[in-house]
Amino acid sequence: MAVARTRSVALVGVTGRTVEVEADVGNGLAGIHLIGLPDTALSEARDRVRSAVVNSNYPWPDARIIVSLFPASLPKRGSQFDLAIAMSVMAAAGVVPTARIAETFFLGELGLDGRIRPVRGVLPAILGAAQHGDVTVVVPAANSAEAVLVPDVKVVPMAHLRQLVEWLRRGDEPPELPIEELDEPPEPTTEPVADLADVVGQPVARRALEVCAAGGHNLWMLGPPGCGKTLLAERLPTLLPDLELDHALEVTAIHSVAGILPPSAPLMSRPPFVSPHHTASVASIIGGGSTIVRPGAVSLAHRGVLFMDEAPEFPRHVLDALRQPLESGRVTVSRSIGSVTFPARFMLVLAANPCPCAQAEDPGETCKCSPTIKRRYLGRLSGPLLDRVDMKVTVARSSRRELMADRQFVETSKTVAERVHAARERATKRLAGTPWRTNAEIPSSLLHADYRPSPAAMKPMTSCLDSGTLTARGLDRVVRVSWTLADLADKPTPGEAETTAALSFWLGVRS
C-alpha cells in the first residue's frame, strides 16, 4: 500500500484549473474519505467509483482510503473527477503502475458497471491542461470529437474502465475503439436556409443590417408587427463571416460548459444566434446558479447575435443588466460560492412595437393608446441602454407597390456577406497589431487619438454634441459606425457623408 497521485481539471466558469488527485491506502477502518471541498455530486463519487471498480472485476482495497483534491481551497464540483479518483486509488493499491498515471490527466464520470460516461466542459478542461505543455488526457469516448480540437495534446478516448486499466498495465498505444461503443452523430436535419432575399420592402433596415454585420454594431428596430423585424434579425447571422479558430474555441468552450454543444458539430465555426423569451430571468440572461454557475444568454451569444424580440416586454431590470457586458465584453456573476467571469462580446439586436396594442400608426388602424401609454411602454428601454445601441431604425409596413418595386433591389445573403467580409478585411488590416478585430471593439481612448476623423467630418457630430442631442458615449458609437461605413465604401477614412449617415442611424432613421 502506498500513495499515488494523478491529475484532473476543475472548471471555474470557462477556465480550467489543474487539480492533483492523491490517494492514500493504509491501515485503519475500511472506508473512503474525500477531502478538498467536494460538492454533493463529487462526494457521491465514493460509491460510484467503488461499484465501477468491483464490477470491472478488479479488487477494491479493504482498508482506509483517503483521497485528497489539491488545491484544497478550490471548490470542486461535478462528476468529472470520478476517473481520476479511481485511477489514484487503484494505483495506490498496486492495480495499475503509479508512474503511468502521475503525469496523465483523467476526465470522465463512471457508471456502476464501469462504463466511462461523457461530461460537460471537456474542451475548456483540456485547454486548461494544455497550459502544462505536452500532456496526455484520457477522456470519455463520447467526448473525443470535442477533445481533439485542442492542438498539441494527446487525447486518449476510453469507453470502459477495464479498457483503460489494461492499457495502463501494458503501456502500449491506446486500442482502437469498436464502432458500436462510439456515439454516432445524429442525421442532419434539412431545414430551410434563411436568406436576406426573403425580406422585401425594407431597404433601409437591410442596409442597417449590413452595417451592423460589417462593424459588429448593436441595432434597435421599432415598428408594428408584420413589418419584418424578426425576419431581419434572424438573417443577421447569415451575413457574418465564419469564426476564426481562437474565437471558435471560445464559443465552443462556453457551449460545452453549458452542456448544449451539438454532438454533430463539436467545433462551432458559425456565430451563434440566441433569442431568449421575454419571460427570461436575470440569471438566465446574465448567468448564475446556486451550486454551479452556468453561462447565460449573453455568454451563449458570445461572438454572435443576441436578439431580444418584443424588448419592452422584458422586465426593466433584466434589460438594464445588459449594460455592463455591452461595455466590457464580459460578465461577472457573483454568488456565495464565489465569482465567475464569462466572456460576453455579442451584437445586441432589439425589436419593439410602438405601443402595447401593437397597431400601426397608419390611417384606418384601431390604435387607441394615448401618448402617455406609449411613453410608458417604450420607457422600459432605458436611456442608458439605448445610448449603447449604435443604430436605431424605425420600420413601417410596406404597401403593395413598395413590395413590388423593391423586389428588383433585393440581394441574397451571400452577396451582402461578400461585402461584409471585404469591409472586415479592411478593418482587420487597419487594426493589425492590436487585440481588436472590428470597429465596435476599438476603445474610446484610441478612437479619438489614432482613429479620429478629420475636423470637417466631425462637424455634424460636434454640432449635436453642443446642442445636447448627442452624448459622449453616443459620439464614440457614431465614430465607430462611420469607420464601418467607410470600410464598406472602400475609403481610407470616413468623410462627412459617412459621419452624417452614422449620426442619422444613431439618432434614428425611418425606413
Side-chain angles (χ1 to χ4, degrees):
M1 303 298 181
V3 176
R5 181 182 298 105
T6 188
R7 296 187 291 184
S8 189
V9 181
L11 288 177
V12 181
V14 290
T15 304
R17 297 276 301 274
T18 300
V19 174
E20 289 190 2
V21 181
E22 297 178 308
D24 177 26
V25 178
N27 297 325
L29 185 63
I32 180 172
H33 308 276
L34 286 177
I35 58 176
L37 292 183
D39 70 342
T40 303
L42 184 51
S43 297
E44 293 174 349
R46 297 174 295 185
D47 299 322
R48 289 195 302 270
V49 169
R50 184 182 185 280
S51 296
V53 172
V54 172
N55 291 330
S56 299
N57 298 323
Y58 294 110
W60 181 259
D62 187 16
R64 185 171 182 265
I65 305 171
I66 299 179
V67 178
S68 174
L69 307 176
F70 175 84
S73 59
L74 178 68
K76 322 297 186 309
R77 303 179 182 90
S79 57
Q80 70 268 20
F81 298 97
D82 287 7
L83 204 55
I85 293 174
M87 289 299 100
S88 61
V89 172
M90 297 178 76
V95 179
V96 296
T98 305
R100 289 277 290 164
I101 70 166
E103 300 298 327
T104 305
F105 286 82
F106 293 91
L107 298 170
E109 178 182 337
L110 284 173
L112 299 183
D113 57 354
R115 285 182 295 173
I116 303 177
R117 302 181 181 275
V119 293
R120 293 181 175 184
V122 167
L123 178 60
I126 296 183
L127 287 172
Q131 298 177 1
H132 294 270
D134 187 14
V135 296
T136 300
V137 185
V138 177
V139 300
N143 294 125
S144 59
E146 177 185 353
V148 297
L149 297 175
V150 183
D152 302 326
V153 173
K154 182 180 180 181
V155 176
V156 181
M158 290 290 173
H160 198 278
L161 181 62
R162 170 169 287 278
Q163 186 182 31
L164 173 59
V165 172
E166 295 305 317
W167 170 65
L168 291 172
R169 283 177 167 179
R170 292 193 304 267
D172 54 4
E173 291 297 321
E176 294 290 335
L177 289 176
I179 299 299
E180 63 272 13
E181 293 184 4
L182 294 172
D183 290 339
E184 297 183 359
E187 292 293 331
T189 57
T190 57
E191 297 180 357
V193 179
D195 197 286
L196 191 61
D198 301 334
V199 184
V200 182
Q202 301 294 349
V204 177
R206 294 200 305 269
R207 173 63 173 173
L209 218 64
E210 178 181 348
V211 176
C212 289
H217 306 293
N218 304 320
L219 175 66
W220 178 39
M221 293 181 289
L222 177 67
C227 61
K229 302 186 300 295
T230 304
L231 207 66
L232 285 161
E234 290 175 346
R235 277 139 187 83
L236 178 56
T238 65
L239 308 182
L240 299 175
D242 291 340
L243 296 173
E244 299 181 16
L245 180 58
D246 55 345
H247 290 173
L249 290 175
E250 287 180 359
V251 174
T252 305
I254 296 171
H255 285 72
S256 176
V257 170
I260 58 174
L261 191 64
S264 58
L267 180 65
M268 298 187 63
S269 59
R270 291 294 302 161
F273 180 82
V274 180
S275 180
H277 194 261
H278 64 263
T279 58
S281 63
V282 175
S284 64
I285 297 295
I286 301 300
S290 57
T291 57
I292 300 178
V293 180
R294 300 293 186 193
V298 295
S299 298
L300 296 177
H302 181 59
R303 304 295 179 184
V305 179
L306 176 64
F307 175 49
M308 306 189 78
D309 201 5
E310 308 293 345
E313 300 293 340
F314 285 82
R316 180 161 182 169
H317 66 280
V318 173
L319 294 172
D320 286 339
L322 298 173
R323 287 151 55 179
Q324 186 259 340
L326 282 174
E327 286 293 326
S328 62
R330 60 181 181 273
V331 60
T332 300
V333 182
S334 298
R335 295 292 185 268
S336 59
I337 57 177
S339 297
V340 177
T341 299
F342 294 105
R345 187 167 296 282
F346 56 91
M347 297 168 56
L348 176 65
V349 178
L350 302 172
N353 295 319
C355 60
C357 73
Q359 295 295 331
E361 298 178 352
D362 301 330
E365 295 292 346
T366 59
C367 176
K368 298 180 179 179
C369 298
S370 65
T372 302
I373 293 177
K374 293 180 180 180
R375 284 197 302 269
R376 186 182 299 118
Y377 180 72
L378 294 179
R380 299 177 186 177
L381 301 174
S382 64
L385 176 61
L386 292 181
D387 203 34
R388 291 168 169 83
V389 177
D390 310 61
M391 307 176 67
K392 307 173 183 70
V393 179
T394 300
V395 292
R397 289 177 180 170
S398 302
S399 64
R400 184 179 64 86
R401 288 185 176 182
E402 291 172 337
L403 293 174
M404 296 300 295
D406 190 49
R407 286 191 179 276
Q408 59 181 325
F409 301 105
V410 170
E411 296 177 302
T412 63
S413 292
K414 181 180 179 181
T415 303
V416 179
E418 290 175 354
R419 294 199 299 266
V420 169
H421 178 73
R424 288 209 173 197
E425 287 291 328
R426 298 183 189 105
T428 301
K429 184 178 179 180
R430 183 175 62 253
L431 299 173
T434 69
W436 310 293
R437 312 283 179 89
T438 60
N439 294 319
E441 301 176 18
I442 303 175
S444 177
S445 58
L446 289 181
L447 200 63
H448 298 287
D450 299 339
Y451 305 104
R452 185 178 179 86
S454 64
M458 290 289 294
K459 188 175 180 180
M461 293 179 283
T462 54
S463 300
C464 291
L465 199 62
D466 294 336
S467 63
T469 57
L470 184 66
T471 63
R473 182 188 292 114
L475 176 64
D476 295 345
R477 302 279 176 176
V478 173
V479 173
R480 294 186 180 104
V481 174
S482 66
W483 273 106
T484 301
L485 291 171
D487 290 333
L488 286 169
D490 196 11
K491 293 184 178 180
T493 57
E496 188 173 354
E498 285 73 32
T499 55
T500 302
L503 181 61
S504 64
F505 271 124
W506 191 85
L507 295 174
V509 296
R510 188 175 185 87
S511 177

